Every structure is written in structure tokens, then in C-alpha cells.
């Protein structure tokens, strides 16, 4: 199957600093990528849809100035958590759909990033 | 907005028992996928069901897509401790494309030895 690589897998930062998370599709082009947040023992919560070459689409309640998304190429999307606060501590996961012609879309997930803001 | 109701949200059973996880919606999906996620990892696709009434088997796991393509179930036979994890169902809206998947809330499964 397709491979999506997410980096870093774990990061600890000080309150007030910014953290960048990268999501790469390694063997396919992804015009769209999705960013999720997951709290302990809960399901995935979609934060935003990243679109190559255009602005990201944010879900209701997600601050676009807080969570900056850049999808500059067909294989890379980045999520920057700006001015991080302890409440931003969470598990962030990206995914990219690999739509094969005539087949259904399957989502391939990155390994996730555990962000801890201290 | 399409919603997927997944149940149960939490299940703890003994090794060797059988279990079923349900995923229900009032909406029709063009396909439905089941994922398994281990702590600290991203979800991994287990199976995709596409045709109404379709049944797929993956070793001790049996997946079924409802005839109307609004619901799905995952049945595990003789559960093993290695089956422990978070199971997520996700539906693709009719029309497909890059509109994303709608996820259920997940089922946390613990298999006790």
C-alpha cells in the first residue's frame, strides 16, 4: 500500500513556541491531505483539509491562525502549531487519500506526532 | 453532515471470546473502511467493503457491509490479546473523491489473557 511519513513522531516544546509537523506521501502524489487531532482514548477529530496550491479548509472551531497549514507540493503538507500552549498537547495525525481510478479512496495515515507543550 | 455511530465504545473481554463491533449511519456510503490503531501509532487499514451485503474475512476477523450500505459490522472470533487496540470505522461519502472520510468514534478493545 501507499506510504505516508510523518515527522517528528514525538516533540516536546515550551509554551509560547511554535512547532512544525511534516507529512509526506512517499510513493504517490497527494493533492489533498487531512490533519487530525486525537485525544487519549478518543477517535480522530478532523482539524483541516490541506489542498496543494491553495488555502486549507478548516473545520468549525479550529483556529486557522493557530494551526497553520502549508501544502506547497504534491507530496508534502506541514502543520505548524503556533504559540503553543499546554492545552495543545495532543496526538496529531495526517492522512492522504490515494484514489485509484475505478476504485474507492483509501486513506493512508502517518505514524502520528505526540506533541507535549510544557 | 454524515454521521457514523460506532458501538460499543469500549469493550473488555477474555481471550477466546467472540465479539462484534457495529457501525451505523442513516446515510449511504460508497465504501466503508475499518482501521485498527495501536497506541502512539497512526491507524492502519484492515479492509474496505464496497458492495451492499459484502462479507470479507481476514483470518479471525469478519467484516460485513449492510445491504443498504448504511451500516457495517466487525466480528472477531476467538479474540487474542494481540487484537487489543482501537478499531475505527470510516465511511466514504457517495461521490467519493477527496472529500475525506467520516470516522466513527472508535471502539477500544481490550483482550485479557
Amino acid at each position: 500500500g501507499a506510504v505516508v511519513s510523518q515527522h517528528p513522531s514525538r516533540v516536546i516544546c515550551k509554551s509560547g513556541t511554535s512547532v512544525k509537523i511534516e507529512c509526506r506521501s512517499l510513493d504517490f502524489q497527494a493533492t489533498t491531505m487531512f490533519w487530525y487531532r486525537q485525544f487519549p482514548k478518543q477517535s480522530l477529530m478532523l482539524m483541516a483539509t490541506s489542498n496543494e496550491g491553495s488555502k486549507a479548509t478548516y473545520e468549525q472551531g479550529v483556529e486557522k491562525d493557530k494551526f497553520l497549514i502549508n501544502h506547497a507540493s504534491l507530496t508534502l503538507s506541514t502543520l505548524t502549531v503556533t504559540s503553543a500552549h499546554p492545552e495543545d498537547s495532543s496526538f496529531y495525525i495526517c492522512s492522504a487519500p490515494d484514489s485509484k481510478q475505478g476504485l474507492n479512496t483509501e486513506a493512508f495515515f502517518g505514524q502520528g506526532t505526540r506533541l507535549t507543550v510544557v | 453532515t454524515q454521521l457514523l455511530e460506532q458501538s460499543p465504545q469500549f469493550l473488555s473481554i477474555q481471550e477466546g471470546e467472540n465479539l462484534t463491533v457495529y457501525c451505523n449511519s442513516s446515510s449511504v456510503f460508497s465504501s466503508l473502511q475499518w482501521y485498527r490503531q495501536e497506541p502512539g501509532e497512526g491507524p492502519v487499514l484492515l479492509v474496505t467493503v464496497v458492495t451492499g451485503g459484502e462479507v470479507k474475512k481476514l483470518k479471525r476477523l469478519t467484516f460485513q457491509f449492510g445491504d443498504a450500505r448504511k451500516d457495517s459490522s466487525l466480528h472477531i472470533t476467538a479474540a487474542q490479546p494481540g487484537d487489543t487496540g482501537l478499531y475505527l470505522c470510516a465511511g466514504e461519502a457517495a461521490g467519493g473523491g477527496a472529500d475525506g472520510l467520516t470516522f466513527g468514534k472508535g471502539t477500544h478493545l481490550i483482550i485479557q489473557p
Side-chain angles (χ1 to χ4, degrees), chain A residues 25-74:
Chain A
S25 57
L26 298 186
D27 51 359
F28 68 102
Q29 293 183 334
T31 56
T32 301
M33 290 186 177
F34 302 101
W35 287 95
Y36 298 88
R37 184 173 180 176
Q38 188 178 35
F39 293 102
K41 297 189 177 182
Q42 294 190 24
S43 186
L44 306 174
M45 182 187 75
L46 180 65
M47 297 175 64
T49 302
S50 171
N51 304 296
E52 188 268 337
S54 64
K55 291 183 179 180
T57 304
Y58 290 83
E59 296 300 302
Q60 191 172 10
V62 178
E63 300 175 56
K64 61 181 181 180
D65 295 328
K66 171 78 173 173
F67 299 98
L68 299 178
I69 291 174
N70 187 332
H71 196 151
S73 77
L74 288 172

Side-chain angles (χ1 to χ4, degrees), chain A residues 59 68 71 76-77 95 103 116:
Chain A
E59 296 300 302
L68 299 178
H71 196 151
L76 174 64
S77 175
S95 79
L103 300 176
T116 303

Side-chain angles (χ1 to χ4, degrees), chain B residues 41-93:
Chain B
E41 303 282 339
V44 174
L45 179 68
L46 295 175
V47 77
T48 300
V49 285
V50 178
T51 307
E54 182 177 5
V55 176
K56 282 190 174 180
K57 290 193 174 184
L58 188 65
K59 296 184 180 178
R60 292 176 292 101
L61 277 61
T62 302
F63 304 85
Q64 186 163 5
F65 203 11
D67 291 340
R69 291 187 289 137
K70 293 182 178 180
D71 54 85
S72 181
S73 64
L74 157 61
H75 182 78
I76 301 180
T77 304
Q80 303 294 313
D83 295 329
T84 294
L86 172 66
Y87 290 82
L88 297 160
C89 64
E92 179 184 10

Side-chain angles (χ1 to χ4, degrees), chain A residues 9-30:
Chain A
S9 59
R10 189 179 296 268
V11 58
I12 301 173
C13 70
K14 290 185 177 180
S15 187
T17 62
S18 297
V19 174
K20 180 186 285 187
I21 303 170
E22 294 186 348
C23 183
R24 294 180 185 273
S25 57
L26 298 186
D27 51 359
F28 68 102
Q29 293 183 334

Side-chain angles (χ1 to χ4, degrees), chain A residues 91-113:
Chain A
F91 193 58
Y92 293 86
I93 307 174
C94 68
S95 79
D98 183 14
S99 297
K100 305 172 184 63
Q101 187 174 8
L103 300 176
N104 296 89
T105 302
E106 293 183 4
F108 295 91
F109 289 84
Q111 303 92 323
T113 298

